[in-house]
Amino acid sequence: MAAIEALIFDVDGTLADTERDGHRVAFNRAFADAGLDWDWDVDLYGRLLAVTGGKERIKFYLNEFNMAFEKPADLDGFVAGLHAAKTAHYKQLMVEGRVPLRPGVERLLREARDAGIPLAIATTTTVDNVTSLLENTLGADAIDWFAEIGAGDIVPAKKPAPDIYDWVLQRMGLSGPLAIAFEDSGHGVSSAADAGIERIVVTTNDYTRDQDFSRAALVLDQLGEDDRLPRTADGSELDRPVDLGLLRAL
Ligand code: XBP
Ligand code: MG
């Protein structure tokens, strides 16, 4: 039984289903504001998720899905402007409480806090977005629950590169085997595993269910609650939700 020195959480898709109902909607609103007729529907957005990072995703869309669009001379400036507008819309959606936390997330965070186990974030999205989600779901001080927030452009290479997990582990003075990572996507699992994290818990969602999770220790549909137990990919139910006892046995 290995010690647990930290729980490190991905945000998008893991803490909450922010991709479909948060980021996607915010991108579309920013496009409309800019007079663009781009519409990222639920299916197209699933394909765009192949690339992490909102700015990177817009460029991927232009290169692979909307080649007819004449790119402005200052493409980086144009994309940065769209992305800033998207972030404002995303924060507004969080204020409106559009995206709740996934089952079991708040319970596990509180259990770890009570046990004195440090929490951290390792995400591709911006720290603004993380703060907004946490404040509007857990309360104004929730950002302070996390010892380190690894977010967005703080590292040069986004997931699936290991940089963001490396950054968090280094800041916490930990090696990978002492931490447990929580992810929802294949890119996230690659990032955590390549940073040396051996215990990775995946909670899948509609966008990620069929991805490669061969490097994860546990793949479930959700962290679960006592009255809503997690299921593995073959449909079998665990006898308890994901709690510290279960994590210590990984
Ligand atoms: C999250 C992402 C991000 C968000 C958008 O991946 O891919 O790009 O969709 O965020 P992960 P920004 O869950 O693996 O961190 O627009 O703020 O970049
Ligand atoms: Mg994710």
Side-chain angles (χ1 to χ4, degrees), residues 38-179:
W38 309 350
D39 175 25
W40 289 5
D41 64 25
V42 171
D43 284 347
L44 171 60
Y45 194 70
R47 290 196 274 161
L48 295 172
L49 284 173
V51 169
T52 58
K55 295 189 287 285
E56 294 81 354
R57 190 167 298 141
I58 294 170
K59 288 185 185 169
F60 176 58
Y61 167 71
L62 292 178
N63 290 335
E64 304 284 335
F65 295 87
N66 190 355
M67 285 83 94
F69 181 75
E70 201 172 319
K71 292 176 188 155
D74 178 15
L75 180 64
D76 284 348
F78 171 73
V79 169
L82 281 176
H83 190 252
K86 176 256 168 179
T87 298
H89 279 297
Y90 181 89
K91 289 184 343 192
Q92 181 57 32
L93 290 167
M94 296 302 111
V95 169
E96 291 167 13
R98 293 286 203 95
V99 187
L101 295 180
R102 296 189 64 187
V105 167
E106 178 168 357
R107 174 189 51 73
L108 181 60
L109 292 175
R110 289 189 184 279
E111 188 188 356
R113 261 166 72 73
D114 290 347
I117 296 175
L119 302 171
I121 295 282
T123 180
T124 298
T125 198
T126 58
V127 72
D128 265 12
N129 288 350
V130 179
T131 306
S132 189
L133 173 71
L134 294 176
E135 273 181 7
N136 288 291
T137 51
L138 294 172
D141 70 334
I143 197 84
D144 301 330
W145 296 13
F146 296 85
E148 294 295 340
I149 309 276
D153 297 325
I154 210 166
V155 289
K158 293 183 176 167
K159 298 174 189 177
D163 301 30
I164 198 69
Y165 277 100
D166 283 338
W167 186 93
V168 170
L169 289 169
Q170 196 200 347
R171 297 269 300 194
M172 299 182 92
L174 292 178
S175 67
L178 294 174

Side-chain angles (χ1 to χ4, degrees), residues 224-240:
E225 302 285 5
D226 284 334
D227 59 355
R228 190 178 172 179
L229 293 170
R231 286 180 188 275
T232 56
D234 67 8
S236 44
E237 208 171 70
L238 299 194
D239 61 3
R240 65 203 286 178

